[in-house]
Structure formats: C-alpha cells, structure tokens
Amino acid sequence: MNSLQWNTPEKLRALLCELVSWESRTHTEGERSFPYKLQQKLRELTYFKKQPEYLSLNLADHGRNFVTALYKHSSAKDTIVLISHFDTVQTEEYGDLEELAFHPELLTKELMKRKDNLKEDARIDLESGEYLFGRGTMDMKMGLALHMSLIETAISEDWPINLLLVTVPDEEVNSAGMREAVKALVSLRDQFNLSYKLFLNGEPSFSQKPGDENYYIYSGSIGKVMPAALFYGKETHVGEPLKGMTANYIASYLTQLMEWNPLFNETDRGERTPLPVSLQQKDLKTQYSTQTPYRAVALYNVFLMKKTASDIMNLFEEIAQEAARRCNESYKALCEHEQVEGIGEVRVIRYKDLFTYAQKKLGKEQVEKLISDVESNEQWDEREKSLRIADGLMIRCKELAPAIIILFAPPYYPAVNSSDDPLIKDIAQYVKDLASKEFDMKVNQIHYFNGLCDLSYVNYNDESDGWSAFEENTPVWGNTYSIPFKEMSQLQAPVLNIGPFGKDAHQSTERLHIQNAFVQTPLILKSLIKRMMEQQEESSNFSNEETLV
C-alpha cells in the first residue's frame, strides 16, 4: 500500500501543489496544455500503461481537451463518474504576488511576511497554519487530486466497481468542456458496457455567509439562465430630442422591473434562489457624438430550481410587456404635454419572431451571412454575439422600432436535484454519521449547490420540452453554443457533490483547509464508495437467493 503515489496526506498535498503549478486559467495556453500533462501523470500508473484505451484526451473546443480515465473491474457494470474541472479564474488580483499564485507552499510562506496586509479572517487562518493558499487550491484542483487518489486506490485494492474520472476545461465560463463530455459519457457507457449509478462531483464546500465554518455536501445544483434584451429606439440630434427615443429610456423601464423581482424567486426544501439582477446594461454607441443612443442591450441573471427556460421566457415576456406599457404611458403623456405626435409605441418581440420576420424580408441567405459575420468575430464572446446578431437584424428591420427584443444569452445551467433519491438519502446519512464518529465533525446537507457546477448537464429530466424556448430565442444556438439535451437525458443517475472545505474562491486569499482536504474528505469519499460496493454485493446476493428459491 505504501508504494502508492497519492494515498497519504503528504503525497496528496504534493500532488495538489503539482496540479496547481500547471497554471490553467480559462482561455489561456495553460488551460490547453493542462490535460496533456495530466494524461502523462496518469500514465505513471501501471494500469493505464497496460490498458491505454482506458485513458484518453477528448476534444472540447478552441484547442482545449477534457480527460477521461476509466478504472474497470472485470466483473462490474456499476459505475461512479468522478467529475471535476481543471480551469481556474484569472489572477490579476494577486498584484506583485501573481507569479506565486500557482505555487501554494511559496505563496503561503510569502503571505506570512505580509500578513498585516490581509483582511482579518484570512490573517487568522494564515497564522493558524491550517490553510494552504493559492489559485485553484480550493476551486477545484483538490477535487481532481482526490479523484486521482480514488482511481489509484481502486486499482490497488481491486474494487469491484468501476470509476470513471472526467475532468474538463471551461467550467468557469461556459462549461464547454462538460457539455462535450456528456456525449463522451454516453459513448463510453455503450463502448464498455457501463451502468452509471452516481455522478460524484468534487467542487469545494462553500461558506454560506461570512464567518461560516460549516462543512457541506450537496445533493443538487442550482440552475441559471440569462434573459437578455435589445432596446431599439429612434435616433435623433440632441437639439431635437422629441424627434427620437433613446434606447436608454426604454431600457430603464425593463431594468427597474427585472432587478430583484420576487416573481422569479423559487423555494424548494427550505432553500431559495437569489433574486435576479442585471449583469450588464450598455448602449451600443462606439464613440461620443451628439446623436442620441438608439440601441442598447441588457443581460439579466436568473437562478432556477424547478422552472425551465420556457417558464422563464414566458415570465420575462410578461414583464417586458408591462415595461413597454409603462414606457408607452409615460411617453404618451410627454407627447401630449409637448404637443408632438411621437414616434409610436414600444412593442415587445421575441427573438424567434424577429428572426422569422427578417428571413421573410431579407431572405434566408442574407440572414445566414449576417449571423456568420457576427459569429466569426473573435473579439466577442457568446453573450456579445447573441446581442449583436439581434442588433444586426433590427438595423435591417427598423420599421419594427421602437421595440424591446427579448432573447436568451449563454450560458444555460439547468437545475438538478437528487435529494429524494434513495441512494443519496442513504449516502448523506452515512457521511453525516461517519464524519461525526471519526472526526467529531458535523456535515450539513444542502439541496442546491449555490456556485453553479457541471452537474447541471447530467440527470436531465424535462418531459415538457422546457428547453425549446432557449433553442428558439438564443441567437448563437447551434453554431457557437449548444447543449446536448438528448444525451443529457440518457445519463439518468443521481448527483452528489462532496469536496474539500475552503474559503474565498476567486479571491487573492483563496485557501484550502489542510486537515479537511488531505485527511477528512479522502476518508469520506473512500468510505462512501465502499459502502456502495457493499450494498451492491448484498443486492446481488439477495437476487441470487431469490433465483435459487
């Protein structure tokens, strides 16, 4: 057993530091090179040298790859999928310590020399010696390290269950890696005759509020969708303001109604979604002039539990109609007071209807070229492209103005929850009892992971075609952005997230709790998998007895 590479706290810590040193910020060369380094690291295990077909790189997008590594027992079909991501957010906030952000041991030592510059809670944790600082220590390369250790232990101990490690890029932006991995999961299931029993993610345990030291496991993940709007008014000179209508004027009515709107709020099992907020609002003027801004855009963040994209689009349209009504009412009163005719009433148009109108007016070929030209702009991300496509169509269909064009912008994370699943109920109680007994530690269950995660793309259930409104009203759908709903619905197994405790993800004080990461969580993960193996064996014996009878 001692010959294993990653089976002690010291060896796990060394592995984590090595993984962190392979910087892999999203959309950088480091993110593209990371999976190659990881593949080489996993090849150090004799198992993958002898059976290379179980370890592979798989193309995601933009030259990025995800890694799959399968431990397959000769007599097992039951499979646990171990999910993680290896990309991290950027590191500018580290300032002159940025070069040390990916070297946890060195960074932690250097911070001791500057501890008086840290906020109080981070300074106290640093002085305690119980935390390791660095980008990716908490979110989430420790999760990957834990899964690598599980694979190695399963090989060594010949566990009678299959483990499939899947680690992906791009979780921090669009989850492009996981959306592609879904297709691979279906393919691997069929190729190796696997039966998925659990999707086990390794995202860290997040504090629920400042000062929260509790440890959490998650039996689901919150969803997210982004309703967006293009506001199209009428241009004019600032000296003749009533000959036009600014897009900012129209936008103000919708944003007032969208911000913190309780109609979007959902409650499930005592947990609530955060209220919606605007993530971006801007006009599309590229330079200053005395022409009024007649085109503007906005993005709104909406969290989900039970609602689908179609539910949100219907509600968003109702609110946009109310915003248009209020805008028109105020504008009409202004025109009457100023004794001017006005430019007309603001209408609300879904993107799918604008698209259909533009195709009839301009022709399919011209619309396709417009969309292609926008999507080829490498300076714009999927959100900007979505808004610019709608804008390009409206510029050619000005007769529809003034208008609010409502649409969706990526990403879309469906909510997922397995709290009622018998396996998850059993595991959750088992983990609580184990942690209490072994470490005198209280484990708290949360039904929806509140940080968004790749579990959103498995165990998908929607018999009402609730995603259709997303497909129809997302301008980049099917070209630069798509979601494999069909394959997701084939991955029917419960979800669970168990990872290490840490603090301040995405901050310069990101840190990992050493005891929890290298001692407590490894034992919890190994124990729960062994419990699943025992239950599987009991079930098999019971079936054999019934057959004999």
Side-chain angles (χ1 to χ4, degrees):
M1 191 70 176
N2 290 332
S3 62
L4 298 186
Q5 300 183 62
W6 311 316
N7 70 318
T8 67
E10 296 75 22
K11 290 177 178 178
L12 258 182
R13 182 166 176 161
L15 173 62
L16 171 68
C17 290
E18 184 176 4
L19 296 176
V20 170
S21 73
W22 305 341
E23 77 85 7
S24 50
R25 290 164 287 192
T26 315
H27 291 307
T28 65
E29 182 57 37
E31 184 188 32
R32 287 185 285 274
S33 64
F34 185 97
Y36 292 92
K37 295 175 181 177
L38 180 61
Q39 184 185 43
Q40 287 300 116
K41 190 71 178 174
L42 288 167
R43 277 179 179 158
E44 293 177 10
L45 300 179
T46 304
Y47 183 86
F48 292 118
K49 289 179 182 176
K50 291 181 177 180
Q51 298 172 102
E53 69 274 16
Y54 290 159
L55 175 63
S56 62
L57 293 180
N58 309 264
L59 186 63
D61 67 353
H62 303 301
R64 300 181 294 187
N65 288 269
F66 61 93
V67 177
T68 57
L70 173 64
Y71 159 71
K72 189 172 190 319
H73 189 272
S74 58
S75 63
K77 283 188 64 176
D78 287 359
T79 306
I80 299 172
V81 182
L82 307 172
I83 299 172
S84 64
H85 70 85
F86 57 76
D87 65 314
T88 72
V89 294
Q90 304 302 310
T91 50
E92 294 91 342
E93 69 273 18
Y94 283 88
D96 67 328
L97 291 178
E98 188 171 10
E99 289 187 5
L100 296 182
F102 298 105
H103 301 281
E105 305 287 8
L106 294 176
L107 176 65
T108 304
K109 288 179 181 178
E110 182 61 30
L111 287 174
M112 282 295 291
K113 302 175 185 177
R114 309 183 183 198
K115 59 185 180 181
D116 292 338
N117 296 330
L118 297 178
K119 55 184 181 178
E120 184 179 9
D121 63 328
R123 178 183 57 76
I124 291 172
D125 286 346
L126 177 67
E127 291 176 336
S128 73
E130 296 176 358
Y131 286 83
L132 190 63
F133 287 67
R135 174 62 78 239
T137 52
M138 171 193 179
D139 186 15
M140 68 160 295
K141 288 180 178 175
M142 189 63 223
L144 171 56
L146 289 166
H147 293 172
M148 292 169 69
S149 177
L150 287 172
I151 290 277
E152 183 185 39
T153 303
I155 293 169
S156 173
E157 299 181 2
D158 194 33
W159 286 0
I161 196 168
N162 306 320
L163 300 182
L164 175 56
L165 182 151
V166 180
T167 189
V168 300
D170 193 58
E171 190 271 350
E172 299 291 0
V173 180
N174 286 324
S175 282
M178 188 60 193
R179 286 185 286 116
E180 286 299 322
V182 164
K183 302 170 191 175
L185 283 169
V186 173
S187 176
L188 289 167
R189 178 199 65 189
D190 296 341
Q191 180 182 354
F192 295 111
N193 194 27
L194 308 176
S195 177
Y196 296 141
K197 296 301 180 183
L198 176 66
F199 293 103
L200 181 61
N201 202 3
E203 289 276 8
S205 171
F206 282 89
S207 301
Q208 296 298 294
K209 58 185 178 181
D212 182 10
E213 299 281 340
N214 292 313
Y215 181 72
Y216 299 99
I217 61 174
Y218 307 84
S219 50
S221 187
I222 200 168
K224 163 188 167 134
V225 71
M226 274 209 295
L230 166 71
F231 308 95
Y232 207 101
K234 173 71 172 68
E235 73 279 7
T236 185
H237 189 282
V238 291
E240 300 177 301
L242 296 179
K243 285 189 175 181
M245 181 185 290
T246 68
N248 296 340
Y249 178 74
I250 305 171
S252 67
Y253 287 90
L254 183 56
T255 296
Q256 279 289 322
L257 291 179
M258 282 298 295
E259 289 269 6
W260 306 328
N261 190 327
L263 291 176
F264 288 95
N265 189 249
E266 291 189 67
T267 301
D268 187 34
R269 296 174 172 84
E271 296 173 18
R272 297 181 64 203
T273 56
L275 293 171
V277 292
S278 59
L279 284 178
Q280 185 181 73
Q281 183 169 310
K282 64 179 181 179
D283 67 60
L284 297 182
K285 284 180 68 172
T286 57
Q287 59 188 15
Y288 171 81
S289 75
T290 54
Q291 181 192 60
T292 56
Y294 64 100
R295 295 140 58 219
V297 293
L299 297 173
Y300 305 103
N301 189 87
V302 174
F303 286 112
L304 313 167
M305 284 180 174
K306 297 294 187 180
K307 288 187 172 72
T308 66
S310 293
D311 295 331
I312 298 301
M313 178 53 74
N314 291 336
L315 180 55
F316 186 44
E317 184 174 32
E318 290 178 18
I319 292 168
Q321 292 284 8
E322 175 61 16
R325 187 192 68 77
R326 295 186 187 187
C327 179
N328 290 330
E329 191 176 84
S330 297
Y331 181 64
K332 181 181 179 181
L334 172 68
C335 289
E336 290 175 354
H337 182 269
E338 296 292 333
Q339 297 183 337
V340 296
E341 186 176 340
I343 66 165
E345 289 195 342
V346 175
R347 68 177 85 185
V348 175
I349 305 172
R350 288 196 182 199
Y351 171 78
K352 71 169 185 174
D353 297 323
L354 171 62
F355 178 80
T356 300
Y357 181 93
Q359 278 196 323
K360 288 180 180 178
K361 177 182 178 180
L362 307 171
K364 186 177 180 181
E365 186 176 329
Q366 187 174 341
V367 170
E368 287 179 352
K369 183 180 186 307
L370 182 152
I371 293 174
S372 178
D373 288 345
V374 171
E375 290 179 339
S376 65
N377 189 320
E378 296 182 357
Q379 303 302 311
W380 292 338
D381 64 15
E382 276 74 13
R383 286 149 292 283
E384 189 73 19
K385 289 175 182 177
S386 296
L387 297 166
R388 293 287 179 171
I389 288 171
D391 178 52
L393 295 178
M394 268 302 292
I395 284 176
R396 291 159 177 79
C397 302
K398 287 184 178 181
E399 62 275 15
L400 298 177
I404 302 172
I405 312 301
I406 57 174
L407 58 133
F408 282 124
Y412 174 31
Y413 287 81
V416 61
N417 184 269
S418 298
S419 297
D420 292 331
D421 186 273
L423 174 64
I424 299 303
K425 285 184 174 180
D426 178 80
I427 290 177
Q429 188 58 53
Y430 174 75
V431 167
K432 291 175 183 178
D433 294 343
L434 176 70
S436 177
K437 177 184 176 183
E438 295 292 333
F439 307 115
D440 193 26
M441 179 177 78
K442 184 180 179 182
V443 170
N444 302 273
Q445 180 183 354
I446 288 182
H447 300 288
Y448 291 92
F449 179 72
N450 58 331
L452 296 177
C453 79
D454 287 331
L455 287 177
S456 282
Y457 300 106
V458 297
N459 200 31
Y460 185 74
N461 289 290
D462 179 17
E463 297 177 359
S464 64
D465 292 339
W467 69 79
S468 59
F470 188 83
E471 293 183 351
E472 295 167 346
N473 293 287
T474 302
V476 295
W477 178 263
N479 296 316
T480 63
Y481 187 84
S482 62
I483 298 174
F485 291 112
K486 179 181 177 182
E487 289 86 354
M488 286 160 52
S489 64
Q490 295 182 50
L491 301 175
Q492 292 302 308
V495 304
L496 185 65
N497 190 100
I498 297 181
F501 178 74
K503 296 181 182 178
D504 291 355
H506 298 191
Q507 299 181 45
S508 61
T509 47
E510 177 182 350
R511 57 197 183 276
L512 180 72
H513 190 274
I514 294 169
Q515 178 74 2
N516 181 267
F518 302 123
V519 177
Q520 296 169 347
T521 307
L523 177 65
I524 288 171
L525 290 174
K526 290 176 185 176
S527 298
L528 79 84
I529 293 175
K530 287 183 177 181
R531 178 172 178 80
M532 286 183 65
M533 292 189 293
E534 291 169 0
Q535 290 178 327
Q536 173 190 306
E537 184 177 357
E538 290 173 4
S539 176
S540 177
N541 291 338
F542 180 75
S543 297
N544 290 336
E545 289 174 8
E546 279 197 326
T547 303
L548 290 172
V549 172

